Amino acid sequence: NKELGRDLGASKMRSDCAELAKESYKCLETHGLEDRDACAGHFEAYKDCRKREHTRIVEERRKKFTEVIPRE
């Protein structure tokens, strides 16, 4: 639907952690699904990044709402 300004083939991964996700999957390609322990560090780093990113987004949204809706 490029007429609507949307590229349906575009990646949905728009995270600051996209590079860590790529590294995690690349590790799985290298070591195979049987040796998940070899890639555990990559996946932990990705999960930690996503948690930090989520916390940051929530705080930014909370800040926007408190600026728009003054508290009495």
Side-chain angles (χ1 to χ4, degrees):
N1 287 326
K2 290 195 180 217
E3 304 87 38
L4 299 175
R6 289 184 252 157
D7 183 4
L8 298 178
S11 173
K12 292 182 181 180
M13 179 62 95
R14 293 194 172 102
S15 166
D16 293 339
C17 306
E19 193 60 38
L20 290 171
K22 286 181 191 178
E23 290 175 16
S24 299
Y25 289 117
K26 187 174 181 175
C27 182
L28 283 179
E29 288 176 2
T30 302
H31 294 284
L33 293 175
E34 298 80 28
D35 191 12
R36 289 179 181 239
D37 292 340
C39 302
H42 291 283
F43 281 97
E44 279 301 314
Y46 172 71
K47 288 192 317 188
D48 290 344
C49 181
R50 290 292 294 163
K51 286 177 188 177
R52 286 190 308 273
E53 184 177 57
H54 176 73
T55 300
R56 178 184 52 81
I57 290 169
V58 169
E59 290 299 320
E60 287 174 359
R61 288 179 182 162
R62 185 174 290 138
K63 184 178 177 183
K64 283 182 186 178
F65 285 119
T66 57
E67 290 172 357
V68 174
I69 303 170
R71 294 186 178 181
E72 296 180 24

